[in-house]
Amino acid sequence: MAEHNLFLVLAFLPFATALILSTLAHDARRTATAFSVVSLIAGLGVLAGFLSAIQSGEVLDARLDWVPSVGLDLALRLDGFAWLFAALVLSIGVLVVIYAHYYMAHSDSLPRFLALMMAFTGAMQGILLSGNVLVMVVFWEMTSIMSFLLIGFWHGGAAARDGARTALTVTALGGLCLLVAMLMLGYAAGSHDLGTILRSGDAVRGHPLYGPILTLFLLAAFTKSAQFPFHFWLPGAMAAPTPVSAFLHSATMVKAGVFLLIRFSPVLGGTEAWFFAVTGAGVVTLLLGAVIALYRHDLKGLLAYSTISHLGLIVTLAGLGSPGAILAAIFHICNHAVFKASLFMAAGIVDHETGTRDMRRLGGLFRPMPFTATLAIVAAAAMAGVPLLNGFLSKEMFLAESVDWHNGTWLDNALPYLAVTASALSVAYSLRFIATVFFGPRSTSLPKTPHEPAAWMRRPVELLVFICLLVGMFPALTLGPVINSAARSVVGADMPYYTIAIWHGVNAPLMLSVIALGTGALIYALGAGAIARGPEGPPLIHRIRGQRVYETILFRLTWRLPRLALRWLATESLQPQMRLLVLAAIGAAMASLWGVLSFAPDLRLHAPNLAFGLLWVVGGLCAIGAAWQAKYHRFAALVLLGGAGAVTCLTYAWFSSPDLAVTQLLVEVVTTVLLLLGLRWLPKRRSEIVEDTLLPAKVRRGRDLVIAAIGGLGMAAVAFAVMTRPLISNVGDWFLGNAYYEGGGTNTVNVILVDFRAFDTFGEIAVLAIVGLTVYALLRRFRPAPESIAPPYQQMRVDSPSLDDYLHVPSVIMIWMFPLLIVVSAYFFFRGHDLPGGGFAAGVTLAIAFLIQYIGTNVRWVESRITVLPIRWMGFGLLGAVAVGMGAWVFGYPFLTAHARYIDIPLIGEVPAATALLFDIGVFATVVGAVVLMLVAVAHQSLRAGRIREQDLEDAADLRKEAS
Amino acid sequence: MEIILSLAIGVLSASGIWLVLRPRSFQVIVGLCLLSYAVNMFIFSMGRLTPGAPPIMPKGGFVDPTLYADPLPQALVLTAIVISFATTALFLVVLLASRGLTGTDHVDGKERSR
């Protein structure tokens, strides 16, 4: 159990540290560094504790239930390979954190930076430790996001933003591929558990989905590990602070891709497709990266392309897949991490102390900074593969593997030559790095005078270089055992023990190494001058930049294509779109009803009632009249619309739904008032628009009339077909049966709203509140059209009697209605549960009570007497509803469970006192707030327009004064 | 009764559709109101017409659901009425803002170009 918990601590400690760091103050540099270092070292301590178990071939696991219902749990798994990798990540992490402490300027927020670093470390470690492939995908995506934030840490610069965006686009695309690949892999293997998948290689390779799985999987690994043709994001990521580069390029991020390749090589590898795809991509990247690195003038650019090249080497080995190759790959991962991290840090020191990274300007730095120079030279020699250094060993293992016969294909046969060429190139660029920066004439035009950096900035480099030497000289004593156990955990327990030795006698790999060293030196000796004078990149192909290709593609996809589609498919006019929408709706209805629409054999009809028929003659005429008059006689149309609404309301009453009738009537009132308030701001339309009488307009109207007629007929037909069928018993019966016992009310509609489906109602009032706020926000910026600012002509008449004069009696009545309406509102509210009424109706009634005051008098009069704070009403209502809902939790019920009972109050009698009533208060308050907010916001525009008018007059007066 | 109500729904929706396709924003807002009446009544009619059936139950006792009006469409329509008021308000304000910004009440923010 202790082991289990320690394992969880190991996995989540970096995230916890990141959270803590993100709360630290901007200048808490020491605290932040201390926290990070302690957390990373604690992680290393836990790993050290697991060492003996790992060495004996044990696989540790820990498991936390996450979504057990779909078989997704937070499974962690630690074997030799993951152990080695995690140790690498954490130890390089410690050094990078220490380095960053000295590297980052005081103006940068170090705690924020380290928080991101720690989160990134946690994500990277998560990939290594996850025991469920879906969890692995989550961590994988997390590294993409965290690296985006880290690369773009200096987001003030365009290069950092572009580099971060490119990295995110490429690696997140790979992440999506990985998700699909892992889902399919889990399907093929029958489980998403990593251990199970690793054991079911045969089943996966024989599965029909193997092709797609492999393709997507490789896309993910190649994008992350910057393999050709996805290599371009890595140099762009150089805009990151150097500690980030040192970390991303050595132990993390790009190594995640090769980790994945090696981890899954027993499952997916061993086929011809795997060999050609992986080794092929690896070899191309190996050579291309080395060539480009040789020609880069930017110090970090050279290192970036050399990283790409070395990743290509590791990928090539993963493609070969033999036990020796896997061992060599793992060994090279470690060695590369060590020397590349130290080289990046050294490059960072050079940049920090001289102010430039351009190798054409740098030179002769050995004199002013001998220690740094020595360290960098040793590290670069390790990169070149000089004997007695760690790089030599793994490179020689690579050469040995390339010479070994594998499958006899042309690629396998060509491998030794390609490997030697790449090694020679790597010698050449390492030489260039050393020779141009530290030797030669001392440069005079540097932005800063170079000198040795702070001692502690150099310490991490010293340690790493020391490891280069140590591993290089005593490989079998230092890394030998852990490398072997790591490779065994990948390949299988039957792998023989490989003793890593410096001297194997004079054999083919040694000869190749010597040839590579010699050729590399020759290449540099001959080409140095031409390279320094040449462009930033190899001749001929420097014009073809992956970055540019990517940008072109992205530009086409996100700029040209949408605009092209817009030009071909879209219109800026609303009418054609609406027409399409209506036609699509009609079409969809027709398609689904075609041949199916039939009327019931014996129609279930009620005898027509004359009064009801007459009612709808009026209602129909009102609707048609509104449609006819809405353009030129808005007020008439509004009245007619109200008529149609009133008839609708009566219809609800007629067919036994008093709740609907009440609500419809009240909403009708507010809608009409709202539209009336809006009419003021619309343009006057006295004379007919000439175009309307022309033929095209008539054609348009005719066409729309046909569409409308079809739509109306369709609605009528469907409504009739359904209404005349017998009612199928539905959930409504259940509501009727249970409303009283479960909901404690006899008005089923209200019980449904506030009890059975209270969560829906909660959503509704939230929508209402959002609309209210949106209306308010939109109107805050409202500027009326210039011709509407002047007061309406009724108010402009000189002898204009004020509103009070000709509406005095109605106005008094309206004011007196105020208390009455409040009582009506309360009445609606309290009877709601048992009789027609409820929160909605009561809310709208109270809103009308306020509204009438505004209509009867004027804004200023009302607001000097009553203060309505609609936003508070809404807030109180929403929060109250939530609180009532959460109250159910206290009693151990789900959200919004209501409790119902009747309370006997003296004088008043039995009152329903369900907690649903409290919820209804929330509904009520929100409705009042939202409705009042909307109406008052519209009504206030007159006042504001008045103010704008006054302002304009003053401005005009000022102008005149100035003119005179 | 069914015939009258279906015809009513038809007339309301035809007027609504016609108005929604018109170029002036006020026409569209009136059209949306009419459409919402039509659609609300359409949903309501899915519970069949029950003139004279009591909507409120007596206290206590299990009731026979067939004797009562179907409460489900009513509950749906009740919230639909309030929400359609909210959308009308929102649309009105967008209309006003557009009119203030562009100086026209055409739905496209500019008069039809010939």
Side-chain angles (χ1 to χ4, degrees), chain A residues 574 656 668 704 725 741 753, chain B residues 22 37 48 50 61 78 108:
Chain A
L574 182 72
S656 357
E668 200 54 47
D704 290 349
R725 275 158 205 277
Y741 291 113
L753 286 178
Chain B
R22 297 295 86 218
Y37 295 151
R48 311 300 187 268
T50 47
L78 190 84
D108 295 339

Side-chain angles (χ1 to χ4, degrees), chain B residues 81-106:
Chain B
I81 291 174
V82 180
I83 292 292
S84 54
F85 161 69
T87 48
T88 307
L90 187 62
F91 184 59
L92 179 81
V93 171
V94 173
L95 179 167
L96 294 181
S98 148
R99 150 84 177 131
L101 277 176
T102 61
T104 166
D105 65 339
H106 196 283

Side-chain angles (χ1 to χ4, degrees), chain A residues 121-145:
Chain A
T121 312
M124 182 67 204
Q125 202 183 231
I127 297 179
L128 308 173
L129 301 184
S130 39
N132 182 312
V133 286
L134 295 179
V135 176
M136 185 185 277
V137 174
V138 173
F139 284 120
W140 180 276
E141 289 288 25
M142 213 187 274
T143 56
S144 295
I145 294 164

Side-chain angles (χ1 to χ4, degrees), chain A residues 900-911:
Chain A
R901 70 178 321 164
Y902 283 84
I903 296 178
D904 200 14
I905 298 178
L907 290 181
I908 297 178
E910 242 190 8
V911 172

